[in-house]
Amino acid sequence: MFGINGPEFFLLLIIGILVIGPKRLPEYTQKLANLVKEVRRMASGAREQIKEEVGIDIDEVDWKKYDPRQYDPRRIIKEALLDDDTKPVSAGAPAVAAVAGTAAAAASTSTRAFRPERVVQQLPAGEAAPFDTEAT
C-alpha cells in the first residue's frame, strides 16, 4: 500500500504515536475511522448515481471493448477501403440512400474520365512571370 513495506509502516506508526501523544491518539484514530467511513460512503453513492444515470452496473461493463489498444489504425483503414459501399450506414437507414450514394459515385467517376487534359503554358526563356500588384 503506497509503496510502504512492513518495517516502514511500523516506524511511521511509532513516530505518529510519539508526535500525536497518548492523550490525543484516541481522538485522531476516531477521526481516521470516520474519514474512511465517509470515503466508502461517497464511493458507494457515486456508484449508485452512475448506475441510476447510465442505467447499467459498472461490474457488467465489458471494459475490453473500450480499450484503445485493441484498435489498429492500419486494419481500420484497410477494412474501410475494402468495405462494400452498397450497405446502409446504419441499420435504420434506408437502402435507397446507399444505392443513390453509389450511383452518384459512379456518375462522378464517369465524368472524370471525360475531363479534358490540363494545358500548361510555358514562358519563353528569359521572360519574367506575370505579376499582379493588386493581389499582394
Side-chain angles (χ1 to χ4, degrees):
M1 181 168 106
F2 303 115
I4 299 174
N5 58 19
E8 291 174 348
F9 181 74
F10 185 69
L11 182 64
L12 288 173
L13 186 66
I14 290 174
I15 292 173
I17 291 172
L18 292 175
V19 169
I20 293 174
K23 292 181 182 177
R24 293 185 289 171
L25 189 61
E27 175 187 341
Y28 281 99
T29 55
Q30 184 63 37
K31 286 182 181 181
L32 179 65
N34 289 340
L35 177 70
V36 170
K37 288 178 187 177
E38 184 68 20
V39 168
R40 283 186 181 170
R41 187 191 61 76
M42 287 173 45
S44 173
R47 178 179 288 251
E48 290 299 319
Q49 184 178 2
I50 289 173
K51 186 176 180 180
E52 288 175 8
E53 291 179 4
V54 176
I56 56 172
D57 192 14
I58 295 176
D59 297 331
E60 296 172 3
V61 175
D62 182 20
W63 293 108
K64 290 181 182 179
K65 183 170 69 172
Y66 300 112
D67 186 11
R69 294 174 290 184
Q70 73 177 346
Y71 298 111
D72 182 19
R74 295 171 294 198
R75 180 184 53 82
I76 294 171
I77 292 171
K78 183 179 178 183
E79 287 176 1
L81 291 175
L82 298 177
D83 198 15
D84 185 18
D85 290 337
T86 59
K87 67 180 181 181
V89 176
S90 64
V96 176
V99 172
T102 55
S108 67
T109 24
S110 65
T111 57
R112 283 188 209 139
F114 298 112
R115 186 173 292 166
E117 290 283 329
R118 185 174 148 181
V119 179
V120 178
Q121 296 177 353
Q122 295 287 333
L123 294 175
E127 184 178 337
F131 183 73
D132 187 7
T133 58
E134 294 178 0
T136 57

mmCIF file of all heavy atoms in Angstrom, residues 82-100:
data_model
loop_
_atom_site.group_PDB
_atom_site.id
_atom_site.type_symbol
_atom_site.label_atom_id
_atom_site.label_comp_id
_atom_site.label_asym_id
_atom_site.label_seq_id
_atom_site.Cartn_x
_atom_site.Cartn_y
_atom_site.Cartn_z
ATOM 1 N N LEU A 82 -11.784 -1.491 -48.197
ATOM 2 C CA LEU A 82 -12.270 -2.696 -48.850
ATOM 3 C C LEU A 82 -13.736 -2.968 -48.569
ATOM 4 O O LEU A 82 -14.304 -3.911 -49.095
ATOM 5 C CB LEU A 82 -11.435 -3.908 -48.408
ATOM 6 C CG LEU A 82 -9.954 -3.849 -48.776
ATOM 7 C CD1 LEU A 82 -9.227 -5.064 -48.218
ATOM 8 C CD2 LEU A 82 -9.773 -3.754 -50.283
ATOM 9 N N ASP A 83 -14.351 -2.112 -47.745
ATOM 10 C CA ASP A 83 -15.740 -2.302 -47.352
ATOM 11 C C ASP A 83 -16.674 -2.094 -48.535
ATOM 12 O O ASP A 83 -16.436 -1.258 -49.408
ATOM 13 C CB ASP A 83 -16.095 -1.321 -46.232
ATOM 14 C CG ASP A 83 -17.340 -1.734 -45.501
ATOM 15 O OD1 ASP A 83 -17.761 -2.893 -45.654
ATOM 16 O OD2 ASP A 83 -17.890 -0.890 -44.764
ATOM 17 N N ASP A 84 -17.762 -2.845 -48.574
ATOM 18 C CA ASP A 84 -18.754 -2.725 -49.637
ATOM 19 C C ASP A 84 -19.579 -1.470 -49.406
ATOM 20 O O ASP A 84 -20.139 -1.265 -48.335
ATOM 21 C CB ASP A 84 -19.666 -3.969 -49.625
ATOM 22 C CG ASP A 84 -20.636 -3.972 -50.780
ATOM 23 O OD1 ASP A 84 -20.393 -3.233 -51.754
ATOM 24 O OD2 ASP A 84 -21.620 -4.720 -50.714
ATOM 25 N N ASP A 85 -19.676 -0.592 -50.423
ATOM 26 C CA ASP A 85 -20.384 0.683 -50.284
ATOM 27 C C ASP A 85 -21.888 0.554 -50.456
ATOM 28 O O ASP A 85 -22.611 1.521 -50.276
ATOM 29 C CB ASP A 85 -19.866 1.699 -51.315
ATOM 30 C CG ASP A 85 -18.456 2.155 -50.981
ATOM 31 O OD1 ASP A 85 -18.078 2.049 -49.805
ATOM 32 O OD2 ASP A 85 -17.759 2.617 -51.902
ATOM 33 N N THR A 86 -22.400 -0.605 -50.801
ATOM 34 C CA THR A 86 -23.831 -0.738 -51.059
ATOM 35 C C THR A 86 -24.631 -0.954 -49.792
ATOM 36 O O THR A 86 -25.844 -0.837 -49.822
ATOM 37 C CB THR A 86 -24.103 -1.912 -52.021
ATOM 38 O OG1 THR A 86 -23.592 -3.109 -51.437
ATOM 39 C CG2 THR A 86 -23.457 -1.648 -53.368
ATOM 40 N N LYS A 87 -23.994 -1.257 -48.675
ATOM 41 C CA LYS A 87 -24.768 -1.471 -47.456
ATOM 42 C C LYS A 87 -25.090 -0.132 -46.802
ATOM 43 O O LYS A 87 -24.336 0.830 -46.925
ATOM 44 C CB LYS A 87 -24.035 -2.394 -46.494
ATOM 45 C CG LYS A 87 -22.775 -1.821 -45.913
ATOM 46 C CD LYS A 87 -22.147 -2.835 -44.985
ATOM 47 C CE LYS A 87 -20.893 -2.230 -44.383
ATOM 48 N NZ LYS A 87 -20.231 -3.152 -43.499
ATOM 49 N N PRO A 88 -26.245 -0.027 -46.092
ATOM 50 C CA PRO A 88 -26.623 1.234 -45.452
ATOM 51 C C PRO A 88 -25.649 1.600 -44.338
ATOM 52 O O PRO A 88 -24.987 0.745 -43.782
ATOM 53 C CB PRO A 88 -28.017 0.966 -44.906
ATOM 54 C CG PRO A 88 -28.297 -0.464 -45.108
ATOM 55 C CD PRO A 88 -27.229 -1.051 -45.955
ATOM 56 N N VAL A 89 -25.615 2.890 -44.012
ATOM 57 C CA VAL A 89 -24.713 3.384 -42.985
ATOM 58 C C VAL A 89 -25.095 2.827 -41.630
ATOM 59 O O VAL A 89 -24.259 2.402 -40.866
ATOM 60 C CB VAL A 89 -24.736 4.930 -42.965
ATOM 61 C CG1 VAL A 89 -23.875 5.448 -41.845
ATOM 62 C CG2 VAL A 89 -24.273 5.473 -44.299
ATOM 63 N N SER A 90 -26.384 2.803 -41.325
ATOM 64 C CA SER A 90 -26.836 2.240 -40.069
ATOM 65 C C SER A 90 -27.984 1.286 -40.353
ATOM 66 O O SER A 90 -28.518 1.234 -41.452
ATOM 67 C CB SER A 90 -27.288 3.342 -39.110
ATOM 68 O OG SER A 90 -28.406 3.999 -39.649
ATOM 69 N N ALA A 91 -28.375 0.538 -39.326
ATOM 70 C CA ALA A 91 -29.431 -0.445 -39.515
ATOM 71 C C ALA A 91 -30.760 0.227 -39.853
ATOM 72 O O ALA A 91 -31.569 -0.315 -40.585
ATOM 73 C CB ALA A 91 -29.580 -1.291 -38.259
ATOM 74 N N GLY A 92 -30.992 1.428 -39.356
ATOM 75 C CA GLY A 92 -32.246 2.130 -39.595
ATOM 76 C C GLY A 92 -32.247 2.940 -40.874
ATOM 77 O O GLY A 92 -33.275 3.465 -41.289
ATOM 78 N N ALA A 93 -31.106 3.068 -41.532
ATOM 79 C CA ALA A 93 -31.031 3.884 -42.738
ATOM 80 C C ALA A 93 -31.659 3.136 -43.916
ATOM 81 O O ALA A 93 -31.516 1.931 -44.040
ATOM 82 C CB ALA A 93 -29.584 4.222 -43.065
ATOM 83 N N PRO A 94 -32.370 3.846 -44.782
ATOM 84 C CA PRO A 94 -32.982 3.174 -45.921
ATOM 85 C C PRO A 94 -31.925 2.736 -46.931
ATOM 86 O O PRO A 94 -30.898 3.376 -47.101
ATOM 87 C CB PRO A 94 -33.902 4.245 -46.524
ATOM 88 C CG PRO A 94 -33.343 5.540 -46.044
ATOM 89 C CD PRO A 94 -32.701 5.253 -44.723
ATOM 90 N N ALA A 95 -32.191 1.630 -47.602
ATOM 91 C CA ALA A 95 -31.257 1.095 -48.582
ATOM 92 C C ALA A 95 -31.181 1.993 -49.809
ATOM 93 O O ALA A 95 -30.202 1.985 -50.536
ATOM 94 C CB ALA A 95 -31.672 -0.316 -48.981
ATOM 95 N N VAL A 96 -32.216 2.808 -50.051
ATOM 96 C CA VAL A 96 -32.242 3.691 -51.217
ATOM 97 C C VAL A 96 -31.116 4.711 -51.123
ATOM 98 O O VAL A 96 -30.469 5.038 -52.114
ATOM 99 C CB VAL A 96 -33.616 4.396 -51.313
ATOM 100 C CG1 VAL A 96 -33.632 5.390 -52.446
ATOM 101 C CG2 VAL A 96 -34.717 3.373 -51.461
ATOM 102 N N ALA A 97 -30.842 5.194 -49.920
ATOM 103 C CA ALA A 97 -29.788 6.190 -49.745
ATOM 104 C C ALA A 97 -28.436 5.596 -50.113
ATOM 105 O O ALA A 97 -27.601 6.264 -50.725
ATOM 106 C CB ALA A 97 -29.767 6.697 -48.313
ATOM 107 N N ALA A 98 -28.210 4.347 -49.750
ATOM 108 C CA ALA A 98 -26.939 3.711 -50.082
ATOM 109 C C ALA A 98 -26.806 3.523 -51.584
ATOM 110 O O ALA A 98 -25.743 3.739 -52.166
ATOM 111 C CB ALA A 98 -26.822 2.366 -49.373
ATOM 112 N N VAL A 99 -27.902 3.124 -52.252
ATOM 113 C CA VAL A 99 -27.865 2.928 -53.701
ATOM 114 C C VAL A 99 -27.668 4.262 -54.406
ATOM 115 O O VAL A 99 -26.894 4.372 -55.354
ATOM 116 C CB VAL A 99 -29.154 2.220 -54.173
ATOM 117 C CG1 VAL A 99 -29.217 2.176 -55.683
ATOM 118 C CG2 VAL A 99 -29.230 0.829 -53.583
ATOM 119 N N ALA A 100 -28.323 5.320 -53.916
ATOM 120 C CA ALA A 100 -28.166 6.643 -54.515
ATOM 121 C C ALA A 100 -26.736 7.131 -54.342
ATOM 122 O O ALA A 100 -26.176 7.766 -55.236
ATOM 123 C CB ALA A 100 -29.142 7.629 -53.884
#
